[in-house]
Amino acid sequence: MGRKLDPTKKEKRGPGRKARKQKGAETELAKFLPAAGEDNSKRLSSRARKRAAKRKLGSADAPEMSKSPGAKPLPGKLPKGAVQTPGKKRALSLFTTTQSKKRLAPGHSSDEEGDSGEDSVLNQGDLWGSEDSDADMVDDYGADSNSEDEDEEDGEELLPIERAARKQKAQEAAAGGQWSEEETDEEEEEETVSPESGPREDEEADGLQINVDEEEPFVLPPTGEMEQDAQAPDLQRVHKRIQDIVGVLRDFGTQREEGRSRSEYLQRLRKDLATYYSYGDFLLGKLMDLFPLSELVEFLEANEVPRPITLRTNTLKTRRRDLAQALINRGVNLDPLGKWSKTGLVVYDSSVPIGATPEYLAGHYMLQGASSMLPVMALAPQEHERILDMCCAPGGKTSYIAQLMKNTGVILANDANAERLKSVVGNLHRLGVTNTIISHYDGRQFPKVVGGFDRVLLDAPCSGTGVISKDPAVKTNKDEKDILRCAHLQKELLLSAIDSVSATSRTGGYLVYCTCSVMVEENEWVVDYALKKRNVRLVPTGLDFGQEGFTRFRERRFHPTLRSTRRFYPHTHNMDGFFIAKFKKFSNSIPQPQTGNSATSTLANIDLSNPKGQVTPKSESSSQSAKKARVAVEAKQRPQKRQHPKKASFRKQNGISKGTDSELSTVSSVTKAQPSSKSQDSSQLAEKAAVAGKLKQQSPKLPSSKKVAFRKQHAPRKGPDTETPAVQPLSKAQAALKPEDGDRPCGNTAGAEKVKQLPEQPVKKAAFQKQNGTPKEPKTPTLSPCSSSWRPPAKRRKS
Amino acid sequence: MRPLTEEETRVMFEKIAKYIGENLQLLVDRPDGTYCFRLHNDRVYYVSEKILKLAANISGDKLVSLGTCFGKFTKTHKFRLHITALDYLAPYAKYKVWIKPGAEQSFLYGNHVLKSGLGRITENTSQYQGVVVYSMADIPLIQVNVMITSPGRGTWLAP
């Protein structure tokens, strides 16, 4: 016992009651208050703390100068490379800090930098964050609060316990932030949220602690720092960022950050979406082009979730009412599908496997997606018709067709994949379909094998971007090449399908083209291609719901009738993504490609050089010989010059053969001819051109036309003599043209396009046809029989 | 694809007659057209003539199935009747067996039916007779050969 030992002040130790007794707040708190640390020999001010933190960090962070100064003064004020903390963290940390800071008010911060109070708050917050990160989960309750204490003592008198509480809150916030910060430290340093000190301060002032993140203007991470999320991207953060960016872009004018362009935001969004939803970059880019942003997120969300199971009653064996009753008795929870379907049922849940019930085995229903019922409804097969289903596996649509036809007529169900055909056989037998023949051809062989169907259904193989919920691999393994390859195959199949339909069918002449994809390249583009290449037109599908197809998309322009096609999306209709187009074929002839099947093509050439009026007088007056000479020369010259006009002329010819408006054809021929600058031709063409009054701009057509053109060129070269007779019938042809107009109803609005093509062609075509007979083999889009109809002598030639 | 030869036709009709007896003619002459049997890849298909016309255009190696498959000829030229023929046999079946709902599920999953599971049975059904089995709701389930054993061992149906 020394003098200093004071029994009254002796600390009680040990397990007894006296040791547990509390000694008073002051003494208790002393334990929690910061002990002396390396720097803590004296209490640091907030600024000092910040400086210390920065010193610790070194120059780790390049100050994020990119932070838009406009948003807050903060960014500018955050010089010392405070760790950029994610918004959340900052918000939270700021919360507590601002609370305390607020008290300090502007005056208190002894800051050498002359920050304003606002900044001090913000800085404080940042400092919290940085310090926290530095501290690395060290539980120093008092360390961070030194400045706070200092300030507060000046400003207000807080009880130590209050101070400690505040510190603890800050610690928690920092700890929470720290955790994510550690994760994200490796990721980009970003400042997603600049704390909004103002409102917060107000709230602080009210003494109200709100646990809600205020709307803080979203700050886009600087481009340089967007290098990713290599390791362990924080999905929550990414998700929040996605929402933030979508919010900003929705109201870009007001919410944008100065100096950051829209494309930067979009790029960031793209990366985030790809990360969050695991998409490949290509596909996500395509989807961003397709959907507005709000819909895009919904679409992506919908792809994560499977669509409800639906089934279709087999009306050949049972009725929907009876089936529903039987299934309910087995323990299946179901409902009718909707007003638009009389045979569909949607299954909510089931205690028995829905694909193994006795009713299923007896063929009373088929498990089929709701969107797969739509093309057959659009096709509307009638009894006693002949129907072709080109890609039928696994047989759901085929069996629906059969049940609509009540097992009458004939269905040819074809598929190119032999294994999947087994499922077709099984399903059709199970469902009691008897009027079907199942074959294993490549769809492109079709009209050759057997043609003349009343209706054709083509459910083309596609990239599957509408059924991502069924097959998530599509998200990453689809590429530009895949899409184009699919589109190419679809185009070929569609042309074959069109050729297999008989336009003269009494009850039919319809074709339904559908895909389970949402890409424009596979849908509208293919349909538009078919419209240009064949004598078909689009008709309403008969489905009164669904989104209309696009008539224009980015740089492409499609025919206006594409509005009658229908698109379905998982997020709007709760069925798989689908596209349905219904065609009606109005003529069996095949439009010739541009190479100028029709004689009018020559005229077109001529016309081209002499627009309108000049042609007429010349043609009449020119003697046969002159014409012949011209034609001969022309023929020779044609190969060189005539790519273009040939194309046009061919097209025109095709048109003529189809019986397009001869006038129009001549007009187009005029336009076409011009590029070729064949004056000689023009003289001839002028004849025809005279008929057509208008000059039409001929859009350059497909390369095939060019090829045809070449072929045509050969023809004339063959024999100038042949040309003579050919020339003579020109007038006849012209006359013939007019009656031919009747063949092909110009009702087709697409016809305008075609007509345009045609006019060029007819002139050429007429000339050529004379020489060539049927220019190409009948198979290819060459002169159709129509052309030969008005040129009997020409028949002798060619294929 | 080719029509059946005499021998094949005889074998097949014998088999079918086990289930529907003399009603075979009804299969061929139907009110909605004439139907016929065709052989393709050892399988016998039952098609109407309208369908046959269209199917004639399809080359043999690409043709997979037409109409309804009745059954197939084995390598030793025996005819095996398939379940897919059930829809045509059921209306003309001479001997029918109905089974109770409790036994139906078990039977469908491959187990034998005990005598207690029998609901109704056409009288005069002899052993090894071909019958068509129905559920109590008159849904034809399968065509089988009946094996009725002695009372001690129970009765069962085995396809």
Side-chain angles (χ1 to χ4, degrees), chain A residues 193-263:
Chain A
V193 179
S194 58
E196 214 171 291
S197 54
R200 203 173 292 117
E201 281 182 342
D202 294 338
E203 280 152 17
E204 306 292 334
D206 298 342
L208 237 179
Q209 292 185 28
I210 309 177
N211 210 5
V212 169
D213 261 313
E214 293 102 354
E215 298 256 347
E216 301 162 336
F218 171 65
V219 174
L220 199 61
T223 331
E225 307 198 338
M226 299 218 213
E227 313 320 325
Q228 285 2 34
D229 305 293
Q231 310 87 342
D234 179 8
L235 286 180
Q236 283 223 354
R237 233 169 36 103
V238 172
H239 188 55
K240 174 141 199 337
R241 204 159 63 222
I242 291 172
Q243 289 169 343
D244 287 337
I245 296 186
V246 172
V248 168
L249 288 172
R250 195 175 307 154
D251 189 12
F252 197 58
T254 55
Q255 293 201 29
R256 64 177 296 172
E257 210 181 313
E258 294 301 323
R260 307 301 283 282
S261 67
R262 191 184 180 89
S263 65

Side-chain angles (χ1 to χ4, degrees), chain A residues 317 330 356 358 364 386 410 412 421 425 429 432-441 449-450, chain B residues 50-51 54-55 57-59 62-69 84 87-88 104-105 108-109 139:
Chain A
K317 294 201 172 179
R330 295 213 179 268
H364 286 193
R386 268 167 137 211
V410 186
L412 181 54
L421 272 177
V425 174
H429 276 102
V433 171
T434 56
N435 61 347
T436 309
I437 305 167
I438 304 171
S439 69
H440 173 44
Y441 281 105
V449 170
V450 60
Chain B
K50 287 193 293 290
I51 300 172
L54 184 59
N57 298 327
I58 301 183
S59 73
K62 301 290 193 189
L63 182 64
V64 172
S65 164
L66 60 163
T68 314
C69 172
T84 47
D87 283 336
Y88 296 98
E104 172 198 347
Q105 195 82 342
L108 278 180
Y109 283 96
I139 297 177

